[in-house]
Amino acid sequence: MKAKTGTCRFCGQLRTVMVPDGKEFSEEELDAIAGTECNCSAAEEEREIGNIKDAAAESIERILVKRERSTAAGILSAAIDPIARKKVKKVSVNMDGELVCSMYMKGKKVIVEARQTMVEYSDGEAVDE
């Protein structure tokens, strides 16, 4: 390992980062490493958002992908970042009138749910059975 210098993209602080020997890193890569290791509040917040996003992706995998609901999984996956950053409150996908898949923040966690509903309705007209 060798010591290099990078700049935190959040606070501008110079940081010494340790990188593997034998591999060259660009200034942008060193700055990215510095940003992930910095202890400023913005870097800590970004790490927390990253953890929330990872957990959301795992939930989508568990609830939707493994149950062959890939269309809903793709749509909700595209919304992970805005949900985690609280730019979007909730995303719901009505798949077929009976299956609704949703994702939203609850506290500091992203909730992924799939609701299957049996729908029966009548429009008032008689139907021969």
Side-chain angles (χ1 to χ4, degrees):
M1 297 293 277
K2 61 184 172 183
K4 292 284 189 172
T5 302
T7 304
C8 175
R9 67 183 173 129
F10 302 106
C11 68
Q13 179 178 334
L14 289 175
R15 296 190 55 85
T16 299
V17 296
M18 300 304 291
V19 295
D21 289 327
K23 183 177 179 197
E24 291 299 315
F25 288 84
S26 69
E27 187 175 325
E28 292 81 21
E29 291 171 320
L30 293 170
D31 292 347
I33 295 168
T36 61
E37 294 179 357
C38 190
N39 57 3
C40 70
S41 61
E44 289 176 1
E45 183 179 331
E46 191 64 23
R47 281 192 294 277
E48 185 175 323
I49 288 170
N51 292 338
I52 289 169
K53 290 166 58 172
D54 290 345
E58 288 175 22
S59 293
I60 288 171
E61 176 73 23
R62 191 176 319 112
I63 299 294
L64 302 176
V65 174
K66 287 187 177 178
R67 295 186 179 149
E68 298 182 9
R69 298 168 176 157
S70 60
T71 300
I75 293 168
L76 295 186
S77 292
I80 289 174
D81 189 69
I83 293 276
R85 294 182 188 281
K86 299 179 181 174
K87 293 179 178 178
V88 173
K89 186 165 179 82
K90 182 176 184 177
V91 174
S92 293
V93 181
N94 185 329
M95 297 303 295
D96 59 6
E98 294 181 8
L99 175 64
V100 177
C101 302
S102 301
M103 181 171 63
Y104 56 92
M105 288 286 292
K106 185 174 185 179
K108 291 190 174 195
K109 294 184 178 186
V110 173
I111 305 299
V112 176
E113 61 183 31
R115 293 178 185 250
Q116 187 83 33
T117 306
M118 175 57 89
V119 178
E120 293 183 40
Y121 68 93
S122 171
D123 62 4
E125 293 189 24
V127 178
D128 294 332
E129 292 183 30

